[in-house]
Amino acid sequence: MGDPKEAGAEASPPGAATRGGLSLLSQAESEEPSAQGSALLLGGNEVKSRAVVKYSSAPPRTAFARLEEKTDLKLPPANWLRESAKLGPAGTTVLGNSKKSKPFSSFGMAYDFIDSVGNDVDVVSDSENIKKLLKIPYSKSHVSMAVHRIGRTLLLDELDIQELFMRSSQTGDWTWLKEFYQRLIDQKWQRKKKSKEHWYQKAILSKFLYYSINGDGAAQPVPSPAEQQESSSSDQSHESEGASWPAPFEMPSSVSEDPSASSQGREPLEPSCIVGHVASAPKEQNLTTLFNDGENSQGLKNDFVRNILWTFEDIHMLVGSNMPIFGGGRYPAVSLRLRDNNKPINVLTGIDYWLDNLICNVPELVMCFHVNGIVQKYEMIKTEEIPNLENSNFSTKVIKDIAQNILSFLKSNCTKEGHTYWLFKASGSDIVKLYDLTTLCEETEDKYQNPFTMPVAILLYKVACNMMMKKNQNKKHYGTIRTLLLNCVKLLDKSRHPQIIASANYMLSELFQLDEPKKEESSDSPLNENSDESYSEEEEEMPDSDENGTYSTSSDPADDNKAVAIIKSVGELSVPEKYKSIHQIRPSCAFPVCHDTEERCRLVLSYVLEGLKSVDSSIKKESDLPAADPSTPIPLKYEDESTRGGPEGLEKQMALFLDKMGSLQKGNCSRQSGMTPGSWQHKMKLQLILKSSKAYYILSDAAMSLQKYGRALRYIKLALQSHDTYCCLCTNMLSEVLLFLSQYLTLCGDIQLMLAQNANNRAAHLEEFNYQTKEDQEILHSLHRESSCQGFAWATDLSTDLESQLTVSCKCYEAANEILQFSDLKSQNPEHYVQVLKRMGNIRNEIGVFYMNQAAALQGERVVSKSVSAAEQQLWKKSFSCFEKGIHNFESIDDATNAALLLCNTGRLMRVCAQAHCGAEDEFKREFSPEEGLYYSKAVDYYLKALRSLGTRDMHPVVWDSVNWELSTTYFTMATLQQDYAPLSRKAQEQIEKEVSEAMMKSLKHCDVDSATARQPLCQYRAATIHHRLASMYHSCLRNQVGDEHLRKQHRVLADLHYGKAAKLFQLLKDAPCELLRVQLERVAFAEFQMTSQNSNVGKLKTLSGALDIMVKTEHAFQLIQKELVEECDQPKNDEATPAAESSPNLNREEVIKLLSIFESRLSFLLLQSIKLLSSSKRKMSSNTEEDTVLQTNKQIYSQLLRATANRNSTLLERIEVVICLLEQLASGSSMSNSSPAP
């Protein structure tokens, strides 16, 4: 057979249109030899025709030999029925196949040109059937055709009633149709035999054609009379054998799956193997053939010499033709016809010749006339002249109308895909009826008696497979593919065809893209649009009649109420556009809209389950497993922490798991059922199980996003159980599947972590985890046929222990990381690798914080034992190890921010260790220990590393500020502890003061008081406290130090400096009045101390004046205290429901009273000293107005202060109000003295 070729070029038609309304290409541009050929035939405003030869198996075209007159065609030529290079094998159809069209001829073509079926082509059929349909209004002959719908394509095949009923009498297969036919159509049916004239005409036609190609005169032996008789009988046998019908669903023993099938009678017809990765198969890769040579004997072979894509007006047809075409010399392409000169050409013959030439793109017809087998003459007729021959006039436009009306009628009524329709017109009748044989067959005892069922199902399957390969190119076909597959499954018996059903269900599951982004689910998604070229398996019935049409399904007694539709008169087919409106009807089908992920995954799992059932039911040799009851839940096998062995047991399970993964890489596998590796069951179950694991993974991820962590753990457990079964079945683990497993374990780790962090809702999570749907149970039972499904039990248990959950989560991430190392997956999937390492770093941080908090809790509980316990130290080690590993994880992926956070947490751990050693000593003998200093120094080192990791604040300001604050806190704590618990037994006072000063200044350096952040008030308070403490320290040194005057002066300056800065910062804060008051009182005390060392009255007066100025500045602090006291008094009167956050923090009244008493005493002392000094100076010096004013003011204030302090019944608020009043007087007096002119 020649290679299939398709010419893409189109030639423009030369010449003008003839009166027949058809213009053809010139002879030189007509069909080329072999499989090549393309022609465009345009009618003169009437008909348009274009024919492209898609495939041709004819040998090179030969010129016909013009026979001499008086040649006797009754005598056989020398080459009759002999092989020749010009003919191909003996009996080849190049000279006209004597066999009738096979009942499945259209299916053979459809299998070969699967791309065209369901989409581009309207009709697939033998050219003889096309001609018979277009001649219906002209012919009284009966018409009987089977019609099948595949998408928008109709498959037409001859339905030989006589042959069917002959078979029925032998096998009883078609008795239901025979009874129906006899009851409603022809009550006295009997087989009609061919006349002798029929066989005579066929014999001389065959001899004429062999004469015509014998142009080289090669002598061939004349067959003996016996051979002639044999060939004649073979013609007759071909006539009967050509339409041989297969037994319904009978499989030849040569292709039976089971060697014992031959003794078991009929076996289901199965494809020889399945489509593997259907969705991922490359476009150019051919699908595995579903039939082998044994099945071709059942009529499923495309045995036409030519397959032609013929476009007639707007109708696209894939036509099979066996017409002999001759060429060469003056006539490159002609058809050869033999006519009896005594019988004129009628309309039917003319239409026959015209359509044959049109379909095959032959421009001319050579007609040889004979009388009683004696050649008379030849006549050459152009194709466009055929409609105008004498006695054979017909309108090409009418033929066009007939074609359009018949197609519209069939498309409007043959709506159910997979059903077999019967188009029937009795001999001599004008009524055309359409029956649904599938519906009629289903009313019988065995609904699978329709022999078309299997070929239709296979074709639906093959078309779906072909579209699946291209599904990524055009998603609007999803609805079409789904309908094809659903109808395929609906046609087949599950027990007889498990392989096709399993494969179809797998492809149905593949249609739903589980990993699509959510935008695909929006209303404008192609998945949700209707496709004009798709169709539904559950379509509503089309309208029985049209406003222009007269076919109906009425139950009039004269009509047949079993018919789907009736054309009451064939004359209607000639009326232009009689059924045009119906022809335009295109049933549509939308891909099911899945509004959420769970719905989509549940649909996928339902198809997976059906596929698994088909596979399991086909395994004939079952293992020793007991039959599973789908209604009995499978125990989830919880283990108590004590029996599982805690983290140690987990380590062992992890080791076993990694060993198993390593063995899978080497190709080792184990299975429990009787499946043979490489069998279709094995391949299909692998694909279905993998699909189920993906679906459960997506379900788990969706539940995770909804914070349904118990449900998420259940789904990921099912995903991992599916994957465990896959591992048991798989002989060679693909890297893609290993990547899936890594993703599953990563998600499982996420879920376990979230369960640990949401322990307060544990009961609800446990309830969700234990729930199982019936579908999940059935899938699990199928999985348990192959595996125990316990390979990942260590990862999916719902523990009640927080430490265990965190540990399991960490092990999941570690396992996911280990898997990425197996096949160098980390370099192929860098994004996933980075995510796994991030999660490992995060979970190790969580575990480290958990152990650190446990250690801190133990430290808080320590009462009797003052020393650090071994348990605490063990927890420190675990915590430190986790932090260290986490830091390494983040550093390996250059995640400086998270590495800095873990370094920060390690610093915090060091501070916890330092605090533990702080509590290990007696409070009365307390000194800052070397261990504390060591751990605080380590903490500082880790904080500094964190800052170096970040580099600059711009990289991550929030983290930078947090680390800076922690570092400042550490320095401040160290300095405070050394200051409060000075290690005088080990160090000199001066050294301690130096270290405290350095630590305080470092703390101050990392305390950002200028940035306007949420932490700014804290930083200001911290800085103010540092300055206060430094000032107090220098003040104390000054009081206690003797000798070095330079050092004393330096301390005096530093103390004054830090007191000033502390007061300034505290004044910026609204919630630290007591601290501000204390700093000011210490400043006053510092001034008093300085005054004791002064000898002159002038110096003392100056110092006293400065001290009183400081007292005046405390007014701000008293005003803040007064405001808070007033708010406290008013609060009970207001609404009690006022949130606590809106009210001012309660003052420490005891501290306020204590500070107020000190303030009153110091103010009284300063005023008294001032009065004394001013009075004594007045006696010695002449009159001074300024000093007099100050003296009088001070006396008044002093007098009022004495009276106020003497009143024991005054409240705190009243006392503060008095102080504020006195300070205001003091401030005004001071300002007046400053503004008065000098004497």
Side-chain angles (χ1 to χ4, degrees):
M1 297 177 71
D3 294 332
K5 296 180 182 177
E6 179 177 348
E10 296 179 8
S12 57
T18 64
R19 58 193 176 101
L22 188 67
S23 172
L24 293 99
L25 290 177
S26 64
Q27 295 175 358
E29 292 176 295
S30 62
E31 185 191 22
E32 298 175 9
S34 185
Q36 300 181 12
S38 175
L40 185 65
L41 307 175
L42 295 175
N45 301 321
E46 289 196 32
V47 296
K48 297 177 184 178
S49 174
R50 177 175 183 254
V52 177
V53 179
K54 303 281 284 185
Y55 171 81
S56 175
S57 62
R61 199 173 299 149
T62 59
F64 71 94
R66 184 184 289 268
L67 305 183
E68 296 180 1
E69 290 187 22
K70 309 302 180 183
T71 301
D72 189 355
L73 297 177
K74 295 190 290 297
L75 299 176
N79 64 340
W80 194 36
L81 304 180
R82 292 289 187 265
E83 290 188 8
S84 167
K86 297 179 182 180
L87 296 178
T92 180
T93 55
V94 72
L95 294 182
N97 192 350
S98 61
K99 295 190 288 184
K100 294 184 69 176
S101 174
K102 291 186 177 181
F104 296 105
S105 61
S106 68
F107 288 89
M109 281 191 287
Y111 293 153
D112 284 352
F113 299 98
I114 205 75
D115 274 343
S116 302
V117 177
N119 187 21
D120 302 328
V121 172
D122 294 296
V123 177
V124 178
S125 186
D126 184 352
S127 61
E128 297 300 318
N129 295 332
I130 300 291
K131 293 188 293 182
K132 189 177 291 186
L133 281 178
L134 298 184
K135 291 187 295 185
I136 283 180
Y138 300 93
S139 173
K140 296 295 182 182
S141 301
H142 88 286
V143 175
S144 176
M145 291 189 192
V147 185
H148 297 90
R149 182 188 183 117
I150 306 292
R152 57 168 285 180
T153 302
L154 297 176
L155 276 67
L156 306 179
D157 294 281
E158 183 180 3
L159 193 61
D160 190 333
I161 295 296
Q162 294 187 4
E163 177 63 27
L164 282 181
F165 295 165
M166 283 291 292
R167 178 179 178 82
S168 175
S169 61
Q170 297 172 9
T171 65
D173 285 334
W174 287 81
T175 53
W176 60 273
L177 184 58
K178 183 176 180 180
E179 292 171 1
F180 170 75
Y181 181 82
Q182 290 177 334
R183 185 172 70 251
L184 296 178
I185 299 170
D186 189 353
Q187 297 182 359
K188 297 181 179 179
W189 174 86
Q190 59 179 0
R191 181 173 175 80
K192 298 175 183 178
K193 296 183 178 180
K194 301 289 185 181
S195 64
K196 289 183 178 180
E197 177 65 19
H198 171 81
W199 299 117
Y200 167 73
Q201 293 295 338
K202 288 186 72 66
I204 66 167
L205 174 61
S206 174
K207 293 169 186 174
F208 164 68
L209 291 172
Y210 271 90
Y211 270 120
S212 298
I213 58 99
N214 197 21
D216 56 1
Q220 297 289 345
V222 177
S224 65
E227 288 175 323
Q228 294 182 33
Q229 179 65 29
E230 181 184 344
S231 66
S232 175
S233 64
S234 70
D235 279 349
Q236 298 182 31
S237 66
H238 283 323
E239 179 73 26
S240 60
E241 291 172 2
S244 60
W245 287 80
F249 300 105
E250 187 171 353
M251 174 183 276
S253 58
S254 61
V255 293
S256 172
E257 292 183 3
D258 195 336
S260 61
S262 57
S263 61
Q264 295 176 355
R266 287 187 273 181
E267 286 289 318
L269 177 62
E270 290 294 337
S272 55
C273 81
I274 61 166
V275 183
H277 286 279
V278 178
S280 59
K283 177 182 176 183
E284 64 274 6
Q285 182 181 354
N286 292 327
L287 280 175
T288 309
T289 53
L290 292 168
F291 299 100
N292 51 24
D293 293 338
E295 287 134 20
N296 290 334
S297 63
Q298 298 196 352
L300 300 175
K301 183 180 178 183
N302 178 11
D303 55 2
F304 291 104
V305 172
R306 291 177 193 82
N307 297 127
I308 300 161
L309 189 60
W310 181 39
T311 304
F312 187 58
E313 282 295 311
D314 60 341
I315 305 171
H316 304 284
M317 291 176 269
L318 182 62
V319 181
S321 173
N322 292 323
M323 185 181 77
I325 300 176
F326 295 86
R330 293 173 55 198
Y331 311 109
V334 296
S335 59
L336 206 54
R337 301 288 182 175
L338 184 64
R339 290 296 304 169
D340 191 334
N341 205 21
N342 297 326
K343 297 178 181 178
I345 297 176
N346 58 25
V347 173
L348 294 177
T349 306
I351 294 174
D352 224 35
Y353 292 170
W354 181 70
L355 288 174
D356 268 334
N357 276 17
L358 211 59
I359 291 170
C360 294
N361 192 31
V362 177
E364 292 179 295
L365 164 69
V366 175
M367 200 172 296
C368 176
F369 293 90
H370 74 96
V371 176
N372 295 326
I374 307 300
V375 175
Q376 299 296 314
K377 64 175 180 177
Y378 280 84
E379 185 175 340
M380 181 77 71
I381 305 170
K382 290 186 177 181
T383 301
E384 60 264 32
E385 295 173 356
I386 295 175
N388 305 305
L389 293 176
E390 187 180 353
N391 299 322
S392 179
N393 285 330
F394 62 90
S395 168
T396 57
K397 187 174 183 301
V398 170
I399 301 297
K400 175 200 72 172
D401 294 334
I402 294 169
Q404 290 176 336
N405 286 330
I406 289 177
L407 181 64
S408 297
F409 172 77
L410 292 176
K411 283 209 169 186
S412 300
N413 294 286
C414 301
T415 57
K416 295 181 180 178
E417 193 175 39
H419 281 224
T420 298
Y421 292 90
W422 180 26
L423 186 71
F424 179 77
K425 183 179 85 72
S427 296
S429 172
D430 283 345
I431 300 173
V432 181
K433 300 178 181 180
L434 185 70
Y435 298 94
D436 184 348
L437 292 187
T438 302
T439 303
L440 295 174
C441 182
E442 287 175 349
E443 297 172 1
T444 65
E445 293 181 2
D446 185 0
K447 70 174 183 178
Y448 298 105
Q449 273 205 6
N450 182 355
F452 282 103
T453 300
M454 186 64 185
V456 172
I458 294 299
L459 184 57
L460 290 168
Y461 176 83
K462 290 192 73 173
V463 172
C465 286
N466 184 62
M467 295 180 80
M468 281 288 283
M469 289 184 175
K470 304 173 183 177
K471 67 171 186 169
N472 292 328
Q473 300 172 16
N474 194 348
K475 292 184 178 180
K476 74 176 184 180
H477 289 154
Y478 278 19
T480 306
I481 298 170
R482 177 175 178 269
T483 308
L484 285 165
L485 293 170
L486 288 174
N487 285 328
C488 169
V489 171
K490 194 190 299 183
L491 286 173
L492 299 175
D493 183 358
K494 292 182 180 180
S495 62
R496 297 178 179 178
H497 310 285
Q499 184 176 356
I500 303 176
I501 290 175
S503 184
N505 277 294
Y506 171 69
M507 284 194 287
L508 280 166
S509 71
E510 278 287 289
L511 284 175
F512 294 85
Q513 297 299 304
L514 296 177
D515 53 352
E516 280 181 351
K518 292 186 178 180
K519 65 179 180 181
E520 293 291 339
E521 298 173 17
S522 62
S523 58
D524 58 350
S525 167
L527 291 182
N528 300 338
E529 293 178 356
N530 286 349
S531 168
D532 291 338
E533 299 172 358
S534 57
Y535 40 88
S536 173
E537 76 281 5
E538 296 176 355
E539 292 174 21
E540 297 179 0
E541 292 295 328
M542 290 294 172
D544 292 332
S545 62
D546 181 72
E547 58 183 1
N548 298 322
T550 59
Y551 64 90
S552 68
T553 57
S554 62
S555 57
D556 188 281
D559 293 333
D560 178 10
N561 59 7
K562 292 283 186 179
V564 174
I566 298 173
I567 299 176
K568 292 184 178 179
S569 172
V570 293
E572 295 176 354
L573 295 174
S574 303
V575 179
E577 301 183 359
K578 184 71 175 178
Y579 307 117
K580 183 177 179 181
S581 61
I582 297 179
H583 175 59
Q584 298 302 320
I585 291 177
R586 286 281 189 267
S588 62
C589 165
F591 193 74
V593 180
C594 297
H595 295 288
D596 58 20
T597 303
E598 184 161 1
E599 185 181 351
R600 186 164 68 240
C601 291
R602 278 292 162 198
L603 266 173
V604 169
L605 289 170
S606 67
Y607 293 131
V608 167
L609 177 57
E610 290 302 316
L612 288 173
K613 286 179 178 178
S614 297
V615 173
D616 292 340
S617 67
S618 69
I619 301 174
K620 296 183 172 58
K621 295 181 180 180
E622 299 291 349
S623 64
D624 296 332
L625 284 174
D629 181 8
S631 63
T632 305
I634 295 178
L636 294 176
K637 300 186 179 179
Y638 300 109
E639 292 184 21
D640 187 70
E641 250 344 277
S642 59
T643 60
R644 201 174 67 175
E648 294 78 10
L650 193 59
E651 292 285 352
K652 294 178 182 177
Q653 293 179 12
M654 267 290 294
L656 291 173
F657 160 72
L658 293 174
D659 288 343
K660 180 179 179 180
M661 295 310 300
S663 66
L664 286 173
Q665 284 291 297
K666 299 173 185 175
N668 301 327
C669 64
S670 60
R671 65 191 66 81
Q672 296 179 5
S673 72
M675 280 197 302
T676 306
S679 64
W680 74 263
Q681 290 101 330
H682 181 256
K683 293 177 181 177
M684 181 51 66
K685 194 157 190 177
L686 275 174
Q687 296 302 322
L688 290 167
I689 289 173
L690 188 60
K691 192 70 180 181
S692 71
S693 72
K694 291 180 187 177
Y696 282 127
Y697 167 73
I698 300 297
L699 280 171
S700 179
D701 191 45
M704 178 80 170
S705 63
L706 295 173
Q707 299 182 356
K708 302 289 185 181
Y709 304 123
R711 187 193 308 173
L713 185 62
R714 168 164 56 91
Y715 283 137
I716 202 65
K717 182 183 180 100
L718 289 165
L720 288 168
Q721 285 176 321
S722 299
H723 204 286
D724 187 35
T725 307
Y726 183 93
C727 294
C728 291
L729 291 174
C730 188
T731 54
N732 185 21
M733 187 67 71
L734 298 171
S735 59
E736 177 190 10
V737 179
L738 283 174
L739 178 62
F740 290 152
L741 179 55
S742 178
Q743 291 170 342
Y744 299 169
L745 287 168
T746 303
L747 180 59
C748 187
D750 293 346
I751 296 166
Q752 291 283 11
L753 175 58
M754 296 313 296
L755 284 168
Q757 292 178 350
N758 291 269
N760 55 341
N761 204 15
R762 195 182 301 277
H765 295 322
L766 185 62
E767 184 180 353
E768 287 180 341
F769 179 68
N770 289 334
Y771 176 77
Q772 269 191 329
T773 65
K774 184 178 180 182
E775 193 175 66
D776 295 339
Q777 290 176 19
E778 291 179 336
I779 290 175
L780 261 180
H781 280 293
S782 180
L783 299 179
H784 275 269
R785 292 168 61 92
E786 315 299 336
S787 164
S788 64
C789 300
Q790 293 299 309
F792 298 97
W794 57 270
T796 54
D797 284 339
L798 181 54
S799 174
T800 57
D801 179 58
L802 180 60
E803 180 183 359
S804 175
Q805 285 177 321
L806 292 173
T807 307
V808 167
S809 177
C810 185
K811 294 301 178 186
C812 286
Y813 295 138
E814 289 175 2
N817 184 45
E818 288 291 336
I819 290 167
L820 291 176
Q821 314 294 331
F822 279 134
S823 302
D824 199 28
L825 283 171
K826 67 177 183 181
S827 60
Q828 300 170 19
N829 304 275
E831 292 182 4
H832 178 60
Y833 176 65
V834 167
Q835 288 301 317
V836 170
L837 284 183
K838 275 191 176 181
R839 284 167 164 78
M840 283 175 65
N842 179 59
I843 190 62
R844 282 167 171 164
N845 178 54
E846 292 287 339
I847 297 174
V849 169
F850 170 76
Y851 288 136
M852 180 169 65
N853 291 340
Q854 277 197 324
L858 280 179
Q859 177 186 327
E861 294 170 1
R862 186 173 4 117
V863 178
V864 180
S865 174
K866 296 291 184 179
S867 61
V868 178
S869 66
E872 281 182 81
Q873 293 180 345
Q874 191 65 29
L875 288 171
W876 295 344
K877 290 178 182 178
K878 288 182 179 180
S879 179
F880 180 75
S881 174
C882 290
F883 287 140
E884 200 172 36
K885 290 177 181 177
I887 292 166
H888 176 71
N889 292 144
F890 286 125
E891 287 178 344
S892 64
I893 56 174
D894 298 325
D895 190 344
T897 305
N898 281 318
L901 285 172
L902 262 73
L903 285 165
C904 190
N905 278 342
T906 312
R908 185 181 159 208
L909 174 65
M910 296 299 106
R911 286 161 61 191
V912 169
C913 297
Q915 290 166 11
H917 286 88
C918 163
E921 296 181 16
D922 190 353
E923 188 67 26
F924 297 104
K925 300 178 182 179
R926 174 87 170 88
E927 282 191 359
F928 185 72
S929 66
E931 290 82 5
E932 288 178 84
L934 175 66
Y935 282 116
Y936 278 122
S937 297
K938 286 185 177 180
V940 167
D941 289 341
Y942 282 112
Y943 289 131
L944 290 172
K945 283 182 182 177
L947 289 177
R948 286 196 295 271
S949 176
L950 290 171
T952 62
R953 186 176 185 274
D954 297 337
M955 184 173 181
H956 203 298
V958 176
V959 177
W960 176 274
D961 291 344
S962 177
V963 175
N964 245 339
W965 174 253
E966 293 295 332
L967 180 56
S968 172
T969 303
T970 306
Y971 278 128
F972 178 73
T973 306
M974 283 176 66
T976 303
L977 290 173
Q978 286 192 81
Q979 191 176 16
D980 295 347
Y981 305 100
L984 295 172
S985 61
R986 295 183 291 110
K987 295 180 181 179
Q989 179 73 31
E990 292 78 6
Q991 185 181 356
I992 294 172
E993 290 171 0
K994 182 181 177 182
E995 290 178 359
V996 168
S997 176
E998 288 176 354
M1000 287 290 188
M1001 294 309 293
K1002 287 179 181 177
S1003 177
L1004 201 59
K1005 175 186 174 184
H1006 293 284
C1007 192
D1008 185 7
V1009 296
D1010 299 323
S1011 299
T1013 61
R1015 194 180 275 121
Q1016 188 182 28
L1018 282 176
C1019 292
Q1020 290 173 340
Y1021 186 87
R1022 166 73 54 76
T1025 305
I1026 290 172
H1027 284 300
H1028 182 200
R1029 278 185 163 271
L1030 285 172
S1032 299
M1033 183 181 74
Y1034 292 128
H1035 185 183
S1036 176
C1037 293
L1038 191 62
R1039 283 178 178 273
N1040 299 327
Q1041 196 173 27
V1042 291
D1044 192 347
E1045 190 60 32
H1046 173 72
L1047 192 60
R1048 286 174 60 82
K1049 185 178 180 181
Q1050 185 179 2
H1051 285 167
R1052 187 183 301 111
V1053 172
L1054 287 173
D1056 190 50
L1057 174 69
H1058 286 296
Y1059 274 133
K1061 289 183 177 180
K1064 184 178 178 181
L1065 286 168
F1066 278 130
Q1067 279 183 330
L1068 295 174
L1069 300 171
K1070 296 179 180 180
D1071 55 353
C1074 293
E1075 287 81 353
L1076 176 58
L1077 187 56
R1078 185 179 294 108
V1079 169
Q1080 300 291 36
L1081 288 173
E1082 285 189 21
R1083 292 180 73 186
V1084 169
F1086 182 64
E1088 290 177 3
F1089 174 72
Q1090 286 180 297
M1091 192 174 64
T1092 57
S1093 62
Q1094 293 174 333
N1095 298 321
S1096 67
N1097 288 342
V1098 176
K1100 289 181 179 181
L1101 273 173
K1102 187 176 179 181
T1103 304
L1104 280 172
S1105 178
L1108 286 171
D1109 286 342
I1110 294 171
M1111 284 295 197
V1112 170
K1113 292 176 182 177
T1114 59
E1115 183 183 357
H1116 176 68
F1118 283 115
Q1119 286 174 344
L1120 291 175
I1121 294 171
Q1122 179 193 30
K1123 181 180 176 182
E1124 291 188 18
L1125 289 173
V1126 170
E1127 287 178 356
E1128 283 183 14
C1129 294
D1130 294 343
Q1131 190 172 354
K1133 301 175 185 178
N1134 297 332
D1135 187 4
E1136 294 181 359
T1138 303
E1142 295 180 5
S1143 61
S1144 300
N1146 290 328
L1147 284 171
N1148 187 342
R1149 283 177 168 267
E1150 292 182 3
E1151 186 178 7
V1152 171
I1153 293 170
K1154 180 180 176 183
L1155 290 171
L1156 181 58
S1157 299
I1158 296 172
F1159 179 85
E1160 290 171 342
S1161 66
R1162 299 330 298 163
L1163 180 59
S1164 176
F1165 172 78
L1166 290 174
L1167 289 170
L1168 180 59
Q1169 293 299 319
S1170 174
I1171 292 168
K1172 286 181 179 180
L1173 286 173
L1174 286 172
S1175 298
S1176 62
S1177 64
K1178 186 179 179 183
R1179 286 195 300 269
K1180 294 177 181 180
M1181 299 176 64
S1182 60
S1183 177
N1184 190 324
T1185 307
E1186 181 183 343
E1187 288 186 358
D1188 288 345
T1189 305
V1190 172
L1191 180 61
Q1192 292 302 320
T1193 303
N1194 289 353
K1195 283 182 177 181
Q1196 290 176 9
I1197 295 171
Y1198 182 65
S1199 173
Q1200 292 176 28
L1201 180 60
L1202 288 177
R1203 284 196 295 271
T1205 53
N1207 186 3
R1208 301 286 183 180
N1209 297 324
S1210 300
T1211 63
L1212 179 61
L1213 183 58
E1214 290 172 346
R1215 289 173 66 186
I1216 288 175
E1217 288 174 348
V1218 168
V1219 168
I1220 292 173
C1221 181
L1222 293 175
L1223 291 174
E1224 287 175 352
Q1225 292 178 33
L1226 191 61
S1228 61
S1230 176
S1231 62
M1232 286 176 62
S1233 65
N1234 291 335
S1235 61
S1236 61

